[in-house]
Amino acid sequence: MAFNGNLASDNDSDRRSAISPDERRRVALAEIDNAPFSWFHVKVCIVAGVGFFTDAYDIFAIDIAVNMLKFTYGNGSISSWTSTCLKVATPIGNLVGQLLFGWLADLYGRKRLYGVELVIVIIATFCQALSGHSPSVGIIGVLIFWRFVMGVGIGGDYPLSAIISSEFAATRIRGRLMTVVFAFQGWGQFTAAVVGILVLSAFKSEILAAPYPASTPIDYCWRILVGMGCVPGVIALYFRLTVPETPRFTMDIERNVSQAAKDINTVMGIRAGAVDECPVEHVKAPRASRADFIAYFSQWKNLKVIIGTAYSWFALDIAFYGLGLNSSIILTAIKFSPSSFTNTSRSVYESLRNNCIGILILSVAGLIPGYWVSFLFIDTWGRKPIQLMGFTILTVLFLIMGFCYNILNASQSGRHAFVALYCLANFFQNFGPNTTTFIIPGEAFPTRYRSTAHGISAASGKLGAVVAQLAWGGIGKSVKPIMEIFAFIMLTGIFSTLLLPETKQRTLEDISNEEQHSYITTGVETSHPRKR
């Protein structure tokens, strides 16, 4: 039997009573999965993507800011553990935020929480820029606290943006839409380096004129650099608050198929004009609970997926954040900064500016292109092959950079080769597991656990980021052993990837490993319309 997809027209009450709720759900889902690309999809990409732009800017700006802080408050130096604490505070906050917001989004809805996490990021970023130093509370401690709070907000953005873009996307473009959202991360890191160069250039005369270590003008620089992270967040906030609830949440968690059908008509533009409220038709459907969660994930076919997504993200983030938050250390180790640093304000300026330029080069040469090559292949080649390829090539690259480090660092041409390998590693992180570990958890689980499972997977990744920073703090500035460790970790990522299903060109319901026939049954209660 064929049905018109517009189940929410004004004259469909008779048809609604004739068609079972389960059939209406399948037809409504088909409308989402087969919807043509529209302005609404563009809006979702931009609104979610700007959040990731802000997240990446705020996370990676600290690599530049730490070098400024050491001249402002450290008289030219800062301990490795102080630097580590500043860098690790945000990933720890990410871990908390991903678990918390992932669970809350499945409990209360995606829309209700979308924007809350961005408010946390904006407030914490602004407070960092205004942080002060006092005899009782040092500024480093204050910054660590606010970077943790900011990390909680950033962590919440991962499951929310991933799930909203996943649940609204048509099947054939879902991978590309989610990749575009995530690709804003590369532009955020790039922009942090650009802003660093601009603020240093703006205060160049003051830095050069000030006595070493030029603490006052550099104090302005890092505050502006960090504070600018508020701007894109403020711009995106209004639009986040206007994003509608996903129809999948309305159907499968609120159990209101009729309202979901009307929502689809509205956001996909199937019927123009205002849409009246539907009565809340609660239907019988699988509900999230501790017992149901255990029953679902105790099956090996489901457990192996969350093990695969969680460990793959853990392994990837050890290298991704290990490199991304320590680029300045690597650039200094391979003598990209001036080889003969002197205690002069000019050396301070040149050192800071060269680090910003180096991070800019690494972003342009590796990070940003990697995202967009993923965009080209994600829905044709598939997620799993790209992730396997990425982990394999990263294993080889880190082996070369680790075991051949002394040889490469012995000459100028060797250092150029090391930078090229480093850029290739950045490229194959993004044209590889950095992109796919974000996408697969947003697809591979049923609606009632999709955000929670994505949060668990993402939190595992941030645990990897914390491990990476602690390794840098323990080993110090020794690049060689770090690269060798990264090679082993990338090798283990190959095996965790084998646990994952291929999700390209499959509906979210098909990927969930749950029987969809008779997924829901007859409505048991009708009440007043819910507030929209």
Side-chain angles (χ1 to χ4, degrees):
M1 181 181 294
F3 299 103
N4 188 324
N6 185 1
L7 297 177
S9 65
D10 294 334
N11 298 319
D12 70 352
S13 57
D14 292 338
R15 185 186 303 169
R16 186 184 296 117
S17 62
I19 305 173
S20 70
D22 190 62
E23 184 65 30
R24 282 191 282 144
R25 173 180 178 270
R26 289 201 296 271
V27 174
L29 288 172
E31 287 188 348
I32 303 174
D33 292 335
N34 299 310
F37 185 73
S38 66
W39 168 248
F40 179 77
H41 292 117
V42 175
K43 178 183 176 182
V44 169
C45 282
I46 295 174
V47 172
V50 172
F52 270 100
F53 175 95
T54 304
D55 298 344
Y57 180 100
D58 291 335
I59 289 173
F60 293 105
I62 195 63
D63 188 30
I64 301 169
V66 163
N67 285 300
M68 295 178 176
L69 286 166
K70 72 181 182 181
F71 293 110
T72 308
Y73 297 100
N75 197 31
S77 65
I78 191 170
S79 72
S80 62
W81 280 113
T82 299
S83 174
T84 297
C85 289
L86 282 167
K87 294 174 182 178
V88 83
T90 300
I92 293 175
N94 291 162
L95 191 156
V96 173
Q98 285 157 347
L99 291 174
L100 178 63
F101 279 86
W103 170 63
L104 290 176
D106 279 340
L107 188 63
Y108 295 109
R110 288 72 161 123
K111 174 181 172 59
R112 191 171 297 180
L113 293 170
Y114 209 39
V116 173
E117 84 293 352
L118 200 54
V119 170
I120 295 173
V121 172
I122 293 167
I123 293 172
T125 303
F126 189 68
C127 289
Q128 288 177 68
L130 296 181
S131 295
H133 189 77
S134 73
S136 58
V137 181
I139 190 169
I140 299 300
V142 174
L143 286 174
I144 289 171
F145 170 78
W146 284 116
R147 288 196 66 78
F148 169 81
V149 175
M150 182 188 75
V152 173
I154 291 174
D157 197 26
Y158 275 73
L160 285 168
S161 289
I163 300 312
I164 285 174
S165 55
S166 170
E167 292 183 348
F168 274 122
T171 302
R172 69 186 181 282
I173 62 168
R174 189 175 61 240
R176 279 173 286 172
L177 191 146
M178 296 180 74
T179 301
V180 169
V181 169
F182 198 54
F184 276 80
Q185 189 180 70
W187 291 109
Q189 189 169 355
F190 171 85
T191 304
V194 171
V195 173
I197 293 170
L198 292 177
V199 295
L200 285 169
S201 299
F203 286 91
K204 178 180 180 179
S205 59
E206 287 86 349
I207 294 172
L208 297 180
Y212 176 86
S215 57
T216 299
I218 294 177
D219 192 47
Y220 288 119
C221 291
W222 79 260
R223 292 179 187 277
I224 294 172
L225 170 66
V226 171
M228 286 294 291
C230 293
V231 176
V234 171
I235 294 172
L237 182 58
Y238 167 77
F239 297 99
R240 288 210 165 187
L241 297 175
T242 63
V243 169
E245 184 56 85
T246 68
R248 281 183 163 91
F249 180 87
T250 305
M251 276 189 289
D252 290 357
I253 299 179
E254 291 188 330
R255 296 170 295 130
N256 187 359
V257 177
S258 297
Q259 184 62 59
K262 282 188 173 287
D263 291 346
I264 293 168
N265 293 340
T266 302
V267 300
M268 299 299 176
I270 297 173
R271 182 170 68 92
V275 178
D276 296 332
E277 295 292 347
C278 277
V280 177
E281 296 180 307
H282 289 304
V283 295
K284 292 181 179 179
R287 303 191 66 173
S289 66
R290 181 178 300 178
D292 182 73
F293 183 90
I294 294 172
Y296 179 82
F297 284 106
S298 63
Q299 301 176 64
W300 173 243
K301 65 179 181 179
N302 302 322
L303 179 62
K304 71 177 182 178
V305 176
I306 198 167
I307 291 173
T309 57
Y311 184 82
S312 296
W313 208 330
F314 171 83
L316 179 277
D317 272 8
I318 286 180
F320 183 74
Y321 283 90
L323 297 181
L325 292 177
N326 297 286
S327 294
S328 59
I329 293 176
I330 295 172
L331 292 168
T332 301
I334 63 174
K335 301 180 177 65
F336 185 87
S337 295
S339 57
S340 57
F341 182 86
T342 58
N343 290 345
T344 64
S345 296
R346 179 167 291 278
S347 285
V348 171
Y349 172 79
E350 290 177 354
S351 175
L352 292 174
R353 189 172 185 276
N354 279 358
N355 275 325
C356 290
I357 292 173
I359 293 171
L360 193 69
I361 292 170
L362 296 176
S363 297
V364 173
L367 288 171
I368 294 174
Y371 287 115
W372 294 103
V373 176
S374 287
F375 172 83
L376 295 176
F377 290 97
I378 196 73
D379 280 324
T380 53
W381 192 9
R383 288 68 153 151
K384 189 172 181 177
I386 290 175
Q387 185 162 309
L388 280 171
M389 175 272 300
F391 272 129
T392 302
I393 294 178
L394 287 170
T395 301
V396 175
L397 290 174
F398 285 125
L399 281 172
I400 296 172
M401 286 191 287
F403 288 96
C404 300
Y405 176 77
N406 291 334
I407 298 173
L408 294 172
N409 202 31
S411 65
Q412 188 66 33
S413 60
R415 288 191 286 271
H416 289 162
F418 185 92
V419 171
L421 291 169
Y422 189 86
C423 290
L424 278 175
N426 283 333
F427 176 83
F428 283 105
Q429 282 177 332
N430 289 339
F431 179 39
N434 190 39
T435 300
T436 54
T437 54
F438 172 78
I439 292 175
I440 295 174
E443 303 175 308
F445 305 100
T447 301
R448 66 188 183 279
Y449 298 127
R450 187 169 293 127
S451 182
T452 301
H454 192 282
I456 292 171
S457 303
S460 299
K462 294 307 164 286
L463 179 61
V466 172
V467 170
Q469 296 314 305
L470 293 177
W472 276 106
I475 298 176
K477 298 182 179 180
S478 301
V479 175
K480 176 180 169 59
I482 289 290
M483 296 299 171
E484 294 168 356
I485 292 170
F486 285 175
F488 173 75
I489 298 298
M490 295 304 98
L491 179 63
T492 64
I494 295 173
F495 296 101
S496 64
T497 302
L498 298 176
L499 298 174
L500 300 174
E502 177 52 64
T503 60
K504 72 168 184 176
Q505 305 303 323
R506 295 173 63 191
T507 67
L508 296 179
E509 287 64 40
D510 177 43
I511 302 167
S512 70
N513 284 332
E514 289 192 314
E515 175 59 51
Q516 296 301 304
H517 183 70
S518 299
Y519 187 81
I520 60 176
T521 55
T522 306
V524 296
E525 177 186 355
T526 301
S527 60
H528 296 293
R530 65 179 170 90
K531 298 292 184 181
R532 305 293 290 163

